[in-house]
């Protein structure tokens, strides 16, 4: 559903950390008024309950690594029986990742009290999703992921991103959304389950971007992968076909993780490239090593005028130019 358009190898089964369920069988959704859950399918209720039971570790100290938060806003469409997620197409004028699919979100500002506020504030600024509304219900804070950089990119470009999940109980609320033209070209949605199965059915498979054209040049019908070598080693890029630009990169990493938590199982496809490290390991390594890298980058800044080519490595030893813009000096 387009809302507006303006100017594995799975290393292990999904780990869903559960909160204690009391003797009354509480699902953890007690903060949501009962009428807001009326009309939800059994599948959607299961997903919400899984989010409510999910529990992350206490917020870590990420040192000098930049931090951001994204909002995974879920809702059940009228006449449907599953959850969909709110997405945007980034403005063509943006310096980083123009015209790519994204979740509402951005960097954590010093004055933000927590990542929930960051994600909600950014969603308000980008698509006018209200900061405070009785039909928007917080569900969970998920395990952080991290941007995967190509070879030769400066290590300071790494960003740790925390997904914040909420449920919109009144889909009519989405009718009032509008894209901020400085940041967003369009607002659209995608079925969350598609990021678990790699397939689409029925109405979800209607109106997708044209196969063989710019937005979907891949042979696969709905889900494509590409293994590559980046600054932190092996990485499997996932791409999901949508009605606009594909879900890929960090956004796909967030939504694959979100779908696994929601449905309580692993993906139907191989999630990781061979020897790809899990995000908690990568994040710990970057947090530990970044101070040393920053010092080296500072020392080299005045001694070298060389502009390095930003490339990805191939699994057979080949190199190919990165299409993204990343600082090398």
């Amino acid at each position: 559903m387009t809302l507006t358009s303006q100017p594995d190898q799975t290393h292990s089964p999904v780990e869903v950390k559960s909160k204690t369920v009391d003797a009354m069988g509480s699902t953890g959704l007690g903060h949501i008024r009962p009428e807001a859950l009326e009309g939800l399918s059994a599948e959607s209720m299961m997903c919400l309950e899984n989010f409510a039971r999910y529990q992350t570790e206490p917020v870590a100290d990420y040192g000098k690594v930049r931090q951001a938060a994204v909002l995974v806003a879920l809702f059940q469409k009228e006449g449907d029986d599953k959850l969909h997620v709110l997405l945007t197409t980034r403005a063509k004028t943006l310096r980083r990742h123009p015209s790519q699919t994204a979740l509402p979100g951005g960097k954590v500002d010093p004055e933000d009290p927590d990542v929930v506020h960051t994600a909600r504030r950014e969603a308000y600024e980008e698509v006018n999703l209200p900061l405070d509304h009785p039909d928007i219900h917080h569900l969970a804070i998920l395990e952080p992921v991290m941007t995967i950089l190509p070879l030769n990119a400066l290590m300071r470009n790494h960003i740790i991103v925390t997904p914040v999940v909420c449920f919109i109980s009144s889909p009519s609320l989405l009718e009032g959304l509008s894209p901020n033209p400085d940041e967003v070209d369009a607002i659209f949605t995608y079925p969350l389950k598609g990021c678990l199965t790699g397939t689409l059915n029925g109405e979800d498979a209607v109106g997708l971007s044209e196969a063989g054209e710019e937005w979907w040049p891949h042979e696969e019908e709905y889900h494509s992968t590409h293994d590559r070598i980046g600054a932190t080693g092996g990485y499997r890029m996932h791409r999901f076909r949508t009605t606009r630009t594909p879900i890929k990169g960090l956004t796909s990493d967030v939504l694959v993780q979100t779908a696994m938590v929601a449905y309580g199982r692993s993906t139907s496809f191989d999630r990781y490239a061979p020897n790809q490290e899990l995000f908690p390991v990568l994040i710990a390594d970057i947090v530990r090593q970044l101070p040393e890298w920053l010092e080296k980058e500072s020392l080299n800044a005045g001694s070298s005028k060389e502009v390095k080519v930003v490339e990805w490595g191939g699994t057979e030893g080949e190199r190919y130019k990165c299409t993204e813009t990343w600082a090398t000096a």
Side-chain angles (χ1 to χ4, degrees), residues 31-251:
H31 64 294
I32 302 179
R33 62 189 189 280
E35 58 268 26
L37 302 174
E38 291 178 358
L40 289 182
S41 67
E43 177 178 302
S44 293
M45 277 297 299
M46 175 197 71
C47 291
L48 298 192
E49 290 167 1
N50 282 339
F51 284 122
R53 294 189 182 104
Y54 184 86
Q55 193 171 36
T56 55
E57 298 298 327
V59 176
D61 179 2
Y62 297 127
K64 294 182 178 293
V65 186
R66 291 187 292 170
Q67 297 177 54
V70 293
L71 187 69
V72 184
L74 302 172
F75 69 100
Q76 182 176 294
K77 292 168 61 174
E78 296 286 351
D80 204 345
D81 61 356
K82 58 187 172 298
L83 296 176
H84 290 246
V85 60
L86 182 70
L87 295 169
T88 70
T89 300
R90 289 169 58 83
K92 300 179 183 68
T93 53
L94 291 175
R95 185 168 62 93
R96 292 282 174 84
H97 314 299
S99 298
Q100 290 192 11
T101 294
L103 291 155
K107 70 175 183 177
V108 176
D109 289 340
E111 59 270 23
D112 289 342
D114 53 36
V115 291
V116 176
H117 179 84
T118 300
R120 292 292 299 274
R121 173 181 56 76
E122 288 286 341
Y124 172 71
E125 294 173 1
E126 292 181 15
V127 299
N128 200 37
L129 184 70
L131 278 170
D132 185 21
H133 195 282
D135 291 332
I136 303 177
H137 316 275
H138 174 73
L139 290 177
I141 299 173
L142 302 186
E143 191 173 80
V145 299
M146 187 181 73
T147 52
I148 302 298
L149 302 181
L151 303 170
N152 295 332
L154 292 182
M155 293 298 105
R156 61 177 167 81
N157 286 315
H158 282 292
I159 303 173
I160 295 171
V161 181
T162 303
V164 175
V165 184
C166 72
F167 170 60
I168 300 175
S169 58
S170 177
S172 61
L173 185 62
L174 303 179
E175 297 172 6
L177 301 185
S178 60
N180 177 342
D182 293 332
E183 300 186 64
V184 174
D185 277 346
I187 305 169
F188 66 107
T189 69
Y190 186 83
L192 180 64
K193 196 171 187 178
C195 293
L196 186 78
T197 64
T199 62
L200 297 173
N201 300 293
E203 290 295 319
D204 296 327
V206 175
L208 299 176
S209 55
E210 193 69 27
E213 299 297 326
E214 177 185 6
W215 288 352
W216 195 256
H218 314 293
E219 294 181 1
E220 299 87 350
E221 189 168 10
Y222 301 118
H223 171 237
S224 173
T225 63
H226 181 207
D227 290 355
R228 54 184 62 183
I229 307 298
T232 51
Y235 174 63
R236 176 160 291 166
M237 168 74 77
H238 292 273
R239 302 183 183 91
F240 298 92
R241 187 179 175 192
T242 76
T243 56
R244 302 191 67 84
T245 50
I247 299 168
K248 66 177 185 177
L250 177 77
T251 303

